[in-house]
Amino acid sequence: LKPLIMACLLASSTIFSCMGVYMALDTTLDEGARIQASIASVMLMFTTAISWFSYLRSAPRVVTANEPAEKVVKRASPPVGGGGSRVQVEDMLTGGSGSWNAVDGQTVEEEVVTARYIVNAAGGAADRVSRMIGDNTFVIKPRLGDYLLLNRNQGHLTTHTLFPCPDPILGKGVLVQTTLWGNLILGPTARDMHKPEARDMSDASVQEYILSKCKKLVPYFDAKETIHAFCGARAKSSRGDWIIEPSCADPSFIHAAGIDSPGLAGSPAIALEVVSLLKSAGLDMAKDPSFNPNRAPIITPKVGMRGLKLGPVGKNDSHGASDAEDQKRMEQNVVCKCEKVTEAEITRALRRSLPIDSTQAIRKRTRAGMGHCQGDVDNYNCECRVKAIISRENRTSVEEVGGRPWPATSTLPRRWIDDKERAQLEERMKK
């Protein structure tokens, strides 16, 4: 909108300036009028020039391949660690901490899609999609699951996923397990959003609930080693079970709704059942001989720091070219020190078919920023480094690259907690 306004301003000021010059040169007018027209034209042109100069100076700069990385990183806005607004359940239906609302996105276009067959796999919004065709047979009742993530130095405390005895209503309960990357993770809770006592729990109460439950499974973990907290919404249905069936309103509309835990483990079988239902509805499925079911990995396995290089911004960065020398620099250049994420891995994710315009999207694909420092500027400043690479690859300004929101779904008071807040976590574990 701003460029359009500036273009209109330029056009109108040009027209009026030309009219002023014409009047100043018109000998049929008296001398006073000509002098006034001359002064007005000069002032208008001067004001327009100042406005355009200010606009061009403030306009975002598109990053070029040859621009030094350190200059781009300096222009990038640092990660946010305090203030902000919490991501609500509605945001979780459209991407959680990466949703358009959480990252201050804008709707630039809407479109209508027509189809002969539809699979309703809309998660927390599946009931809304169902109601679009007049099917009111179920309601989604979101159930929040909160987690606490501990540092890797706690991951050795268990080599198995530890379950308590399952609850007849709330499911398998609060677990203790080691992640694939070596962290210790505690959770989840099971907070039904239609129950005020669960929905309105304070952050401290949520933390106390998780820590006190997990202490019974592993009594000796260190709560002060908590580095992150987050939650998600499970799509519990009013039927109390998964809904995998044709809609009663239209047999070509297949439900895959209410898929809560363990939906991930069950997804291959769910997919086969949905395919079978589509065939029964009349869909002719011909195999695509060119389809490749194997997706090339983004992450490159590491052996310690072998073949990797750490250093200040600009020392090891590539120019984003495709030649062998630049590719080698990408493979060696560590952008996130905690997780040993390289420039090559970030570039690999960016050059795939799905567009990426935020560090949040890169974080979820490469783990850049997921380590114990959580993107701390004073440590390695990985979030700003990632922003610089995104802007270079997308040929956009670094100011346009979305960052990681705060607090998003975290129950921590700030991204980088201090000793006092760590001590509070330790006290909550004792209750």
Side-chain angles (χ1 to χ4, degrees), residues 168-377:
I169 298 175
L170 300 179
K172 59 183 180 292
V174 184
L175 318 181
V176 177
Q177 55 189 318
T178 302
T179 70
L180 291 172
W181 301 275
N183 300 83
L184 194 70
I185 190 168
L186 315 176
T189 58
R191 297 194 288 138
D192 290 317
M193 290 295 95
H194 60 281
K195 297 179 180 179
E197 66 276 12
R199 181 187 63 229
D200 300 332
M201 286 179 69
S202 66
D203 291 344
S205 298
V206 171
Q207 294 170 2
E208 182 181 320
Y209 181 84
I210 295 173
L211 292 168
S212 60
K213 292 284 187 182
C214 292
K215 180 180 65 175
K216 297 176 182 178
L217 297 173
V218 180
Y220 33 82
F221 68 83
D222 187 355
K224 298 195 300 297
E225 290 292 336
T226 300
I227 62 171
H228 187 36
F230 55 92
C231 79
R234 286 167 263 178
K236 293 289 294 185
S237 79
S238 55
R239 296 194 197 174
D241 203 352
W242 297 353
I243 304 169
I244 309 170
E245 63 188 28
S247 169
C248 60
D250 191 323
S252 299
F253 190 99
I254 310 299
H255 289 306
I259 312 294
D260 58 344
S261 182
L264 182 61
S267 57
I270 294 172
L272 292 174
E273 179 63 15
V274 168
V275 168
S276 176
L277 292 172
L278 286 169
K279 287 181 178 178
S280 299
L283 178 60
D284 182 21
M285 293 187 176
K287 287 188 176 182
D288 181 358
S290 65
F291 174 70
N292 182 4
N294 301 311
R295 180 181 296 182
I298 292 175
I299 302 297
T300 302
K302 320 297 193 302
V303 180
M305 288 296 295
R306 186 183 301 171
L308 303 178
K309 290 183 178 181
L310 294 166
V313 178
K315 181 180 180 180
N316 304 310
D317 294 84
S318 77
H319 297 297
S322 300
D323 58 84
E325 183 179 349
D326 236 22
Q327 290 297 313
K328 183 178 180 181
R329 291 178 70 89
M330 287 185 191
E331 294 287 352
Q332 295 175 335
N333 180 31
V334 174
V335 176
C336 172
K337 183 171 68 173
C338 298
E339 297 298 316
K340 293 187 281 192
V341 180
T342 65
E343 183 183 352
E345 291 167 326
I346 294 169
T347 304
R348 204 174 291 145
L350 284 162
R351 292 179 181 177
R352 294 203 171 183
S353 58
L354 189 64
I356 295 174
D357 59 2
S358 72
T359 61
Q360 184 73 345
I362 287 292
R363 189 174 73 95
K364 293 180 177 181
R365 288 164 173 79
T366 67
R367 293 187 56 79
M370 279 192 174
H372 69 270
C373 92
Q374 293 291 295
D376 190 351
V377 174

